[in-house]
Amino acid sequence: MRQVIWAVGLCLPVLAQAQVSLQGEVEAGLFIHQHTDLNEGERVLLRNDQPIELTRSIPARLGSKFGVRFSLAGKQQGDQPLTFLYLTPGVIDAQGQRLDRFEVQQALQPHTRHEVMAFEFSEQGEVVPGQWRFLVFQGPRKLLEEHFEVR
């Protein structure tokens, strides 16, 4: 019995943390910008409020930046960070290795209006046609999942 009470006591700080939830609509698509004919290694710097063309069909070319923008309710300082999981059809890195996933930890900022998860094609090996899946987690909880078709 003492072990059960001790185990429950260890879990209470985790359970006491606020769990965030999606608030409003998720914007998913292509971030709109005026830059064309980018060279390898060049990146497009965009603002958090950059317009998004709502689409699931993404052009397979350097400079395409796509993803999701969403709002979360219940954010508090010190909350468990978000995990952004990018599942790709097989990006080829500079060393020639195939990468089927990328994982990024994103700290929660309570006073920001939106969260953005995006991927930009800046290297030719990243421009891989097929289905791309973007998933957002907080700990073991999946908050959202979006699919894009790169063509």
Side-chain angles (χ1 to χ4, degrees), residues 16-51:
Q17 283 188 343
Q19 289 189 341
V20 299
S21 60
L22 282 176
Q23 178 178 355
E25 295 295 316
V26 174
E27 296 176 276
L30 188 64
F31 288 83
I32 300 171
H33 60 82
Q34 304 304 316
H35 306 283
T36 59
D37 298 325
L38 293 175
N39 295 316
E40 243 182 322
E42 289 183 314
R43 291 202 174 273
V44 177
L45 297 177
L46 301 176
R47 300 180 321 269
N48 191 24
D49 61 350
Q50 194 74 26

Side-chain angles (χ1 to χ4, degrees), residues 58-107:
I58 306 301
R61 68 171 182 259
L62 291 176
S64 290
K65 186 170 190 169
F66 61 104
V68 294
R69 179 170 46 219
F70 55 96
S71 295
L72 295 173
K75 294 189 293 185
Q76 295 180 15
Q77 192 67 36
D79 275 349
Q80 191 171 27
L82 299 177
T83 300
F84 293 163
L85 183 60
Y86 302 81
L87 300 178
T88 80
V91 168
I92 306 300
D93 71 7
Q95 290 75 37
Q97 286 188 297
R98 178 187 166 115
L99 305 173
D100 295 322
R101 63 182 273 160
F102 297 97
E103 188 172 317
V104 176
Q105 296 287 311
Q106 172 82 24

Side-chain angles (χ1 to χ4, degrees), residues 1 3-5 11 14 21 25 33 41 43-44 48-49 59-60 65 69 73-74 77 81 124 128 130-131 134 143 146:
M1 180 68 171
Q3 291 174 333
V4 170
I5 293 171
C11 293
V14 173
S21 60
E25 295 295 316
H33 60 82
R43 291 202 174 273
V44 177
N48 191 24
D49 61 350
K65 186 170 190 169
R69 179 170 46 219
Q77 192 67 36
Q124 199 59 49
V128 181
Q131 186 177 85
F134 288 22
L143 300 175
E146 293 291 339

